[in-house]
Amino acid sequence: MSCVMRKKQVGNEQMSRTAVLASIQQLWKHLGLKDGFVEKKLVLSGDPDKVVQSSFRVGQLAQASTALVGLAASALYGRRKSAGDAGDDRSGERLLENAPEVKVDARHAVLCFASEAYNVVNGELSRDIWDDLAGLYATKDGYVRIHTNFPHHRQGILDLLKCAGTREAVAEALSTREALQFEQEATDAGMCVAAVRTLAQWDLHPQAQALRGRPPIELVKIGDAPVHNRFGIPETEKETVQRPLDGIKVLELTRVLAGPTAGRAMAGFGADVLWITSPNLPALPVVDIDTSRGKRAAQLELNKDEDVETLRGLARECDVFLQSYRPASLEERGFGPAELARMRPGIVVATLRGYGWDGPWAKKRAFDSLVQSATGLNVAEGEAWSRSQNSGTTGLRPLPIQCLDHAAGQLLAFGIIAALYKTTTEGGSWEVRVSLAGVGQWLRDMGQLGAEDAFKGETMPARQAPMVEEVSNLSRNYVVRNPAGKSPRTLTALKSAICLDNVPDIVAEVPGSLKCDSIKWL
């Protein structure tokens, strides 16, 4: 490599890191966190624009959202090690001294955004997570993408189309439909479908206009509560805190993929995460085993009064209530943010939605792949690919990883930990709000790479067992906590991309099913 080319490469890498740092600082400031902390505690490595192949800055999205979680965890850890009485923030210098340095490598962060793809259990590679009907289909006037990974969503689509359960039959049925009309029909039926739009078409949509100008994460005060030292540690016991969230109780009611990713991040930092799922929904073993690391798992049937009361008892004692249920479904059972704040003053409620809190799609079901299609990202990625290949034809192209889901999960965890910090300095009950479409807009705001640089990044490693060396070097083993009578298993999975200096990673177990643990706090 010539000296000129090397200088250009170094310059581009520095510009990319500067852009990541600016994104981090913007959201850090937006949540009202400690000035100067990011610059003093964060170490970034790798060129985020060269760690994955895309025209969008997926590497920047991964590194920035991941780093925000680590920074918030470091700040809370420093406060717990430093603060005296509740609300005493005079220990700023001691906080900085005790807060560990945060290191995040761009390539490692991107690989973790596809962690579910690389799991190996007892030496065997996990199967593909996608249902055979899920994906993109041509319609009479365009394209739609359908999501059928849950059996009831699959059957719902087949019922609407009145066709057999094969890709050929679905394709034939959709070829006679109009894209927008079928999207609306499926939405009205509670199914998961997105018509494919261009960026320009999405920008004209009322839902895009409702999201415009909003940050990808919002922290809303939902109730008054006194400043407390629930997480404060007496001077004589401060050395017993090993991880930022030791002793913090997280009640998680989520499914695929962003919500469980947030819960996994908090479990990795020491929280007691009790993951509650419904027995009416099937297990998705490939994703479940990856996102449940460090958690305990149990099930409640919220159509039963006694199980609702059990959940209410858990909520009265939790510090965090994390949920990604269909909008209003938990409110109808008495677990809306306002009700939870009255039930447990000082609580942090974290909520994930597909398309935000306002606009005509505020209650619309969504998954990462559907949001990519609906908001124009797939068309823009396809057009950029065509330009990079000097091709005269354009097609649709998904982003290389489910980065909206994973980034949303990281932002949820960031917001939760930031809110926990605020409860010890200014009090209050808080709601963290993140939407997949909001994350998609954040990715767009980071800009697209030009034709010269687009798709020039590293390829994603092959999915195989044994793992390729790059994945193996970044992975570790976990014991799968199996139900009685089942043979022991070992999960090998990617470690977190967040490194906190001198803070141990001691998560060792994974629940072997969605109902293998007691429904109580430790």
Side-chain angles (χ1 to χ4, degrees):
M1 181 183 294
S2 71
C3 181
V4 173
M5 290 181 65
R6 177 59 183 164
K7 286 183 179 179
K8 181 180 179 182
Q9 180 179 345
V10 171
N12 288 343
E13 183 173 337
Q14 185 58 47
M15 288 176 61
S16 297
R17 286 191 197 166
T18 300
V20 171
L21 187 61
S23 295
I24 292 168
Q25 290 171 323
Q26 182 181 34
L27 292 190
W28 189 262
K29 182 178 180 180
H30 173 64
L31 265 58
L33 298 172
K34 189 172 181 62
D35 287 342
F37 189 85
V38 173
E39 299 85 341
K40 290 182 173 66
K41 290 298 176 180
L42 180 61
V43 178
L44 300 173
S45 60
D47 182 348
D49 289 338
K50 297 298 182 183
V51 295
V52 66
Q53 293 188 351
S54 178
S55 70
F56 287 96
R57 300 183 189 273
V58 173
Q60 290 194 23
L61 181 74
Q63 191 174 35
S65 58
T66 302
L68 282 164
V69 182
L71 286 163
S74 173
L76 183 58
Y77 182 85
R79 172 146 181 81
R80 296 183 74 183
K81 287 285 192 178
S82 307
D85 296 332
D88 175 16
D89 202 26
R90 294 167 297 178
S91 54
E93 291 184 9
R94 285 186 293 151
L95 185 154
L96 283 171
E97 181 181 335
N98 288 316
E101 187 176 70
V102 181
K103 298 175 183 176
V104 179
D105 178 72
R107 176 65 169 177
H108 192 174
V110 159
L111 294 181
C112 286
F113 270 37
S115 58
E116 66 278 359
Y118 296 106
N119 292 335
V120 171
V121 179
N122 283 1
E124 294 186 4
L125 186 68
S126 60
R127 63 173 178 80
D128 188 15
I129 65 172
W130 292 100
D131 178 70
D132 62 336
L133 295 186
L136 194 69
Y137 291 88
T139 63
K140 184 166 64 174
D141 60 345
Y143 293 89
V144 294
R145 186 178 295 279
I146 67 174
H147 195 286
T148 55
N149 284 2
F150 282 115
H152 65 293
H153 289 161
R154 175 189 173 104
Q155 189 58 52
I157 293 295
L158 295 178
D159 291 344
L160 288 174
L161 294 174
K162 297 180 172 59
C163 70
T166 66
R167 286 196 70 88
E168 293 76 15
V170 171
E172 182 178 358
L174 283 171
S175 68
T176 65
R177 301 293 191 101
E178 294 181 358
L180 293 177
Q181 184 178 19
F182 184 68
E183 176 189 66
Q184 188 59 55
E185 183 182 351
T187 298
D188 292 342
M191 296 300 107
C192 302
V193 173
V196 175
R197 293 170 175 79
T198 65
L199 293 177
Q201 288 170 333
W202 171 247
D203 288 343
L204 294 174
H205 194 282
Q207 193 60 40
Q209 295 169 14
L211 289 167
R212 190 162 297 137
R214 292 192 172 184
I217 179 172
E218 296 184 85
L219 188 55
V220 181
K221 191 173 183 180
I222 57 173
D224 294 325
V227 174
H228 64 75
N229 62 355
R230 194 185 308 155
F231 319 128
I233 303 298
E235 192 70 40
T236 56
E237 299 178 21
K238 286 179 183 174
E239 294 306 314
T240 67
V241 176
Q242 292 185 288
R243 295 175 293 174
L245 302 185
D246 277 352
I248 291 172
K249 300 179 181 69
V250 177
L251 187 56
E252 177 185 339
L253 287 85
T254 71
R255 288 308 302 266
V256 188
L257 179 63
T261 298
R264 180 181 66 190
M266 289 184 287
F269 287 131
D272 177 19
V273 180
L274 183 56
W275 188 22
I276 302 294
T277 58
S278 168
N280 298 323
L281 290 177
L284 298 173
V286 175
V287 177
D288 293 341
I289 199 169
D290 180 61
T291 56
S292 63
R293 285 179 267 162
K295 303 178 187 178
R296 296 181 298 120
Q299 294 192 318
L300 290 173
E301 168 56 273
L302 297 186
N303 292 318
K304 295 181 178 179
D305 291 343
E306 59 267 31
D307 282 9
V308 170
E309 284 306 309
T310 297
L311 184 64
R312 201 179 309 280
L314 293 169
R316 289 193 184 101
E317 297 183 42
C318 75
D319 304 302
V320 177
F321 189 99
L322 167 62
Q323 72 95 10
S324 62
Y325 271 49
R326 175 180 54 82
S329 64
L330 285 177
E331 285 91 333
E332 293 166 358
R333 293 172 169 83
F335 296 97
E339 291 85 357
L340 287 164
R342 287 192 290 269
M343 190 186 308
R344 172 67 155 160
I347 197 171
V348 175
V349 180
T351 307
L352 174 74
R353 288 195 181 182
Y355 293 96
W357 274 254
D358 301 304
W361 282 9
K363 295 185 178 181
K364 182 177 172 65
R365 288 179 170 90
F367 292 92
D368 181 307
S369 59
L370 302 184
V371 174
Q372 286 189 38
S373 294
T375 62
L377 294 174
N378 287 171
V379 174
E381 185 84 329
E383 291 173 343
W385 172 255
S386 178
R387 290 192 296 270
S388 74
Q389 302 300 304
N390 293 315
S391 170
T393 60
T394 59
L396 303 173
R397 187 179 178 90
L399 298 176
I401 51 180
Q402 294 195 79
C403 58
L404 306 186
D405 257 333
H406 281 275
Q410 298 296 337
L411 290 182
L412 281 167
F414 163 53
I416 288 167
I417 301 171
L420 289 171
Y421 184 97
K422 283 178 173 290
T423 63
T424 70
T425 60
E426 58 185 272
S429 301
W430 300 86
E431 183 185 10
V432 182
R433 296 178 175 180
V434 176
S435 74
L436 297 177
V439 172
Q441 183 60 52
W442 191 36
L443 177 62
R444 278 185 66 183
D445 291 344
M446 292 177 180
Q448 272 185 282
L449 297 166
E452 180 182 349
D453 298 313
F455 304 101
K456 299 297 193 297
E458 296 179 69
T459 59
M460 294 297 286
R463 295 182 68 246
Q464 66 178 57
M467 292 174 164
V468 299
E469 184 177 8
E470 180 185 24
V471 177
S472 178
N473 289 342
L474 295 173
S475 297
R476 55 163 291 193
N477 290 335
Y478 301 83
V479 174
V480 179
R481 195 168 58 253
N482 282 330
K486 286 201 173 184
S487 301
R489 293 183 292 163
T490 300
L491 167 69
T492 306
L494 283 161
K495 295 181 288 189
S496 171
I498 302 169
C499 178
L500 298 186
D501 272 4
N502 300 315
V503 175
D505 176 9
I506 57 178
V507 170
E509 293 188 349
V510 182
S513 78
L514 295 178
K515 53 180 180 179
C516 68
D517 292 300
S518 300
I519 307 177
K520 63 180 182 180
W521 295 115
L522 295 178

